[in-house]
Structures are given as structure tokens and as C-alpha cells.
Amino acid sequence: MSDTSRTVLNAFTRKLANCRHTVSLKALMNYFDEGKFGYTYDVDDDEVITNEYVFADDIATLVSHIRTIFRRPRMFLKKENIVQNAAVATKMDIESTRETYRDPKIWKVTETSKEPEYVHSFVNEDNYAVYENRFICALIDKVFETVGKKLREVYATLDTLGQKVGEEGTVGFSSRDFLEFSENGEKMPKLIPAKSPIADMVASLAKSKKQLLAFKGRQLYVDCKKAGGFTLTNVRPTNVLIFDAEYNFCYNFYLHYLFREPVLAKEQQRYYNFVTVNFLRAMQNAGWKATDENPMIAVTNSFRLRFDPVHYEKGLFHAIVSLGDNDVIYLSVGAKGQEESAKYEFHVFSKEKADETEDFYNVNSYARKLAYSREHGITHAFIISQSGWTDEDNAACIDPAATDTQEKLMRLIKTCVMVAQGAKAIHSRFCPVCGSTLVSFDGADYSCQGCQTFFRIFGDENGEYVWLKRLARYERPYGDVDDVPEIQEENAIRVKLRARRKK
């Protein structure tokens, strides 16, 4: 796997983790358009362009948890013994009473009585400087430094008017330079669009930095700093850091994000998530419209995606996308006015899973195996693989670093709804693909014994249609049926007729 592919999968998984268990399908689709999954691409490019938006999103999520901690921090009560006038003392316990009786200096003795003029008492003060809060404050310092460094790195990559308008090696320019540039080049110099991943990322980081700075002025931070320095090299996993949800998030951030690139799930799970969300987007890009009001996607603690079947409509068809076991995506399709009558399965294989599968020799061989050995009730089976090359119709090799992910997924989806105008009177007897008359009917669908095409005929007020549910693997014309006498005779007649038409 290339470094860019790994970066994209990691950022993709981190963004899903930041969705806080549930996120709407609409929001996920918007994340693509806004580059919030950590990458963008141009149709003219071969490789995606990664960005730091997910990093900014991670920091913003961390800041939200720290804010909750500052609102309800862990603390302990500091008890301080004092001596007060007996008339105003309010807090006494057995120990302070004993101290009062033992201290002769505070007693007032008169001719008629002996009573304390002052008493030993105590006051309680909130002490924020517990171990866990000192850890949080040290984390604030480190993250504040990291955010500042990241912003400086981003600023160094941005274009300036001095670079565009001014002469090379200078940082300034005159009004005459600007006007000449506008007249001879761009009428209005383009620096960066306001709605771009970089602009959103900078805005997010700047907001987080401002909030981190505000934390440094709070009493909790001041008390923790007075307690002395705190090193982040070896943080003890205390009960609070493990079992308190807010503190635990910060502790996990320290463990997995602060000093190394986090890997939140295995390669296969990250790739399956990437393909699944891109598959849902490919449905949208291919013209399918979700009929549900706003489907919700759940992200489990193990970073697996879960959602109820999503219903779509497009033209003559309706479809349902659902998830299956063993990293399979199902696409159930039905013709207009009919129930779902074709179920397609898409097997997702990362390089890791391919290496662990005994009978996975290469993408092409496994694609052929799926096509020939599909389970009962499955119309056709596809494979989506992370690497390699394929020329099989039921396979696609998708690299997260490449820009053709949507193009390849849309091709597979379109394969499931290939349709042509036809006539039931003819095509129920005459194969629309190869012209064979060896067509059988199972009560719902037709299959050609010549070319193995599996199809359905249906109609509406505008006409009748042939839905090609499955085509046989294509190698060469009639290569698989030369030994069938009936097919040989039909082919011979067809060749003669074509020869006559050319004369």
C-alpha cells in the first residue's frame, strides 16, 4: 500500500470516529464535497490531494471534551485548620473540638465561668490540582504548541499577492504592478476560495487555538501550574483516565494521536468503510435518489459501519443498499412497479484480506470464481479489490490514492441495471444478445442457453424493456458454445445472411 493510500484510509477512519456514533447520510455526502474526509481530487489528476482537515477536526473534538472537563472537573477538598473567634466559627468536628480543649491560650476565664474565646475550626477549599487535571493542562500546552506549528506550516504554503503580482524575489509591489497584472493576466488575482478545505481547516485550527488559550486563563489551569511541572512521557492510567468518558477521550488522544499517526482499525476494516461510503456516494453520483427522509449511519466502537437498508429510485428501477457479513455490500434491484428481483453482492478485499485468503491468487481468477460459484439467490457477484489490475466485468481495483474511485464504482452499479428497449413477443423467444432461440423461462426471468444471458422483460406506459441482469463472461464470439449443434446451425445461417446483405 502506498503512503498516500494509507494516509487516506487513516484520515477516512478518523473522520468517521469523530462522527460520534451516528451521522446522517446527507452529512457524509457533504463531507466529500467539502474535502472533510482528508482528501480532494481533480478529475484531471491521477492521485488525490490530501489535506489536514481531519487533523483540525480531531483537535476541535478534543477541545470540546476539554471544555466539558473544565465545566465539571475532578477535584478534592483541601481541609485547612484555622483559629476563629467563637462567635463566628461554623465548622467544627471532633478533632477540632479536641484541639480547642487542649489549647489553654484561647480560653477566657472569669470569676463565674470558663469558656473559649477562640476555637479551633477548619475551612474547605476546592483543589483542582489533582493528577488527572495536571495531565489535561500539560496536554493543553502540547496541543497548543502543535496547532501553532501546523498553522505556520500551512501559512508557508499559501500563495500571496507578492508572489503573484510582484517581481520574483520581492515581497512587495506597487499599485502600477497590480494594475498591469490585472490588465495583462487575471482581472482579479485568485488566492484561495473561501469555501475550500484549506480555508475551513485554518478556520477550525484558529478557533481551537483561541479556545486553548482561553483555557490557560481559567483557575483550574492556574492551580495545576502552581502544583509544579508535569511531563507527558509516562502518564499513569488512573481510574479517572480510564473510566471517565471525557478524561478517557483525552487520554486516548494522548496515546494514539499526539506522538504518532493513529491506526484505529485493521486495514480490511478501514478499506471496507472507505468502499462502503464511496459506494453510497457513487449511487448518488450515478443519479439514484434516496427515498428515505434522512438515513442515519452508525459507527460502532470497533469502527464498523451499521445502517438500515437505504432505498433509492432512478428512472425504471428502484434499489436497496444494505450491508452483509464478511465485508459484503448488497444491492437489491427491482423494475418499476415490481418487487426487488435481482440481488447483487460486492465482496470487498483489501490487500491484507487478499493475502489471508487461500484461494485468492489474483483479482481476475477470484472474480471468475465468484461469477461461477455465487450463492443461491444472488444474481451476480462482484469483487472490489485494493490493488492489482483486472479486465473482468465483475471486478474493480480501487486504490484510495487514485481519483477514479467513483468512476469505477459507478461502472459496477450501472452493470446491474443494463436495459434496452425490446418487445416481449420477440425477446421471450429470441435472445436480445446473441439471437439464439434457445431461450427458457422460469416464470419470472429468461435465460439464454446460447450465451448464458439472464434477463427480464417488463414494461410501462411508454413501452417494453429488456433488463440484462447478468451477462456471461465474454472471451470471444461463440467461443463457449461451438460444440452445440443447434447453435452452430444458427450461427452458420446468420453468417450467410450477413454476407448477402453486404452484396
Side-chain angles (χ1 to χ4, degrees), residues 271-285:
Y271 186 65
Y272 181 59
N273 291 345
F274 175 83
V275 171
T276 299
V277 179
N278 270 278
F279 191 94
L280 294 172
R281 191 190 191 207
M283 290 289 292
Q284 175 181 290
N285 289 343

Side-chain angles (χ1 to χ4, degrees), residues 272 275-276 279 321-323 328-331 344-346 348:
Y272 181 59
V275 171
T276 299
F279 191 94
V321 175
S322 59
L323 300 180
V328 173
I329 302 171
Y330 289 112
L331 178 62
Y344 301 93
E345 61 178 3
F346 299 81
V348 182

Side-chain angles (χ1 to χ4, degrees), residues 74-185:
R74 295 278 181 159
M75 68 182 76
F76 65 83
L77 295 178
K78 181 181 178 181
K79 182 179 178 182
E80 183 176 350
N81 293 323
I82 60 174
V83 177
Q84 286 182 303
N85 190 291
V88 298
T90 57
K91 292 184 178 181
M92 295 182 66
D93 55 12
I94 296 176
E95 182 180 351
S96 60
T97 302
R98 186 180 296 116
E99 291 295 325
T100 299
Y101 277 108
R102 289 177 179 175
D103 191 350
K105 298 187 297 295
I106 63 175
W107 287 78
K108 182 178 180 181
V109 180
T110 64
E111 294 180 354
T112 59
S113 66
K114 185 178 181 180
E115 58 186 16
E117 184 177 6
Y118 295 90
V119 297
H120 283 267
S121 182
F122 65 89
V123 292
N124 288 326
E125 293 184 357
D126 293 338
N127 191 331
Y128 292 116
V130 298
Y131 181 83
E132 292 79 9
N133 289 340
R134 293 175 64 200
F135 159 72
I136 294 297
C137 292
L139 184 64
I140 289 173
D141 290 339
K142 183 63 179 179
V143 173
F144 184 82
E145 177 188 346
T146 302
V147 170
K149 181 179 178 182
K150 181 63 68 176
L151 282 172
R152 289 191 295 271
E153 291 175 354
V154 174
Y155 292 152
T157 65
L158 298 178
D159 292 333
T160 65
L161 286 175
Q163 294 170 335
K164 280 181 167 288
V165 179
E167 297 181 2
E168 186 176 352
T170 64
V171 294
F173 57 88
S174 66
S175 58
R176 179 175 297 177
D177 294 331
F178 186 90
L179 295 177
E180 288 180 355
F181 179 86
S182 300
E183 293 172 357
N184 299 327

